[in-house]
Amino acid sequence: MNLHKSSNFNESLTYPAVIDRLGRFNLELEIDTVANLYIIPRDCHGTSTSDRDGVNQEAIVTDGCPNADHVFKEESTADNGKKFRFSLNVFRFKNSNGMVYIHCSAHICLKNSNETKCQFGCGENNRRRRRSVEDNALTQLNDDLSKDYDIRTGLIIVTENSKNYNNSFQQDTQETSKNAQFFQTTSNIILIAIILVMLTFVCSLLVFIGLRRHRSGSKRYGVPGSPSKMELS
């Protein structure tokens, strides 16, 4: 199940996602097929854990009927019904650190089906089962169409002010980056200093060796002031 940043449904969020308490859940059910099918939510509810049968539950859709307490809105469909989009006011559970998971049981339907599970809404016409011999025959061709598929979102964290949360996170990240750059710069300076010391040592050693060789050469070929030729008597 996809969670989007806004009701434009042009930017999906990655999980874990952070949402402001005053915002809305913008959710999308999607079926990946080229067949003439569409997807519809039958039952949806929220929990404080990833367990769909958890103790803390909040009803969102029950038997195809949305919970009006959450200001549920069915958004425009996309991809010829292969994406069912809806939104509702954000909620959170007490003593849950703002953690919310949303679970749905979705039904796959044939296009223009009159099957009860393929009707969405709370009206009497949608609640009453309308039979069609043609639809029943087509439905029996594929057993998968008689199943409900359980899907859920990833972890959603509801905060009192997600902007402050994001700003704080960015500041911490920037501070960490600055510290890393500082240590990296310090390490570079130390490395350069070591290289300079080694170069100085090598140069000094070469000069010392040169002087020693020069002095040794002077002793071998004579010292100034001593006789340069042998005198014969």
Side-chain angles (χ1 to χ4, degrees), residues 36-43 63-65 74 77 81 84 105-122 125-130 132 135-136 138-139 142 144-149:
N36 198 16
L37 304 172
Y38 66 97
I39 188 170
I40 190 170
R42 292 301 304 160
D43 294 281
D63 196 19
C65 179
E74 182 180 354
T77 58
F84 187 96
S105 293
H107 196 70
I108 308 300
C109 302
L110 291 167
K111 197 68 175 179
N112 300 322
S113 173
N114 288 326
E115 186 184 359
T116 302
K117 286 189 174 183
C118 294
Q119 311 304 315
F120 186 80
C122 302
N125 291 334
N126 291 333
R127 308 292 293 168
R128 186 172 61 248
R129 183 175 183 83
R130 293 177 292 179
S132 169
D135 284 343
N136 288 340
L138 289 173
T139 302
N142 193 339
D144 290 340
L145 296 180
S146 64
K147 300 177 182 178
D148 286 340
Y149 295 88

Side-chain angles (χ1 to χ4, degrees), residues 5-23:
K5 187 175 182 179
S6 69
S7 58
N8 293 328
F9 290 89
N10 54 9
E11 182 180 354
S12 60
L13 299 176
T14 56
Y15 299 111
V18 179
I19 294 185
D20 191 274
R21 175 68 178 83
L22 300 179

Side-chain angles (χ1 to χ4, degrees), residues 13-150:
L13 299 176
T14 56
Y15 299 111
V18 179
I19 294 185
D20 191 274
R21 175 68 178 83
L22 300 179
R24 287 178 66 81
F25 292 125
N26 300 290
L27 299 163
E28 178 184 74
L29 307 181
E30 182 178 6
I31 178 175
D32 185 11
T33 180
V34 295
N36 198 16
L37 304 172
Y38 66 97
I39 188 170
I40 190 170
R42 292 301 304 160
D43 294 281
C44 296
H45 66 276
T47 63
S48 58
T49 68
S50 58
D51 182 8
R52 67 180 299 107
D53 298 321
V55 177
N56 295 327
Q57 294 192 14
E58 179 66 23
I60 299 174
V61 177
T62 303
D63 196 19
C65 179
N67 185 348
D69 293 339
H70 295 301
V71 193
F72 186 99
K73 180 182 179 182
E74 182 180 354
E75 305 288 350
S76 58
T77 58
D79 291 350
N80 199 26
K82 292 178 175 60
K83 293 181 179 179
F84 187 96
R85 294 170 171 173
F86 61 97
S87 64
L88 63 145
N89 285 346
V90 168
F91 61 85
R92 59 185 296 176
F93 297 93
K94 293 182 179 179
N95 303 321
S96 66
N97 295 322
M99 296 190 300
V100 176
Y101 292 84
I102 296 179
H103 311 260
C104 282
S105 293
H107 196 70
I108 308 300
C109 302
L110 291 167
K111 197 68 175 179
N112 300 322
S113 173
N114 288 326
E115 186 184 359
T116 302
K117 286 189 174 183
C118 294
Q119 311 304 315
F120 186 80
C122 302
E124 288 299 324
N125 291 334
N126 291 333
R127 308 292 293 168
R128 186 172 61 248
R129 183 175 183 83
R130 293 177 292 179
R131 298 181 180 274
S132 169
V133 175
E134 181 181 358
D135 284 343
N136 288 340
L138 289 173
T139 302
Q140 292 173 3
L141 292 177
N142 193 339
D143 292 338
D144 290 340
L145 296 180
S146 64
K147 300 177 182 178
D148 286 340
Y149 295 88
D150 294 335

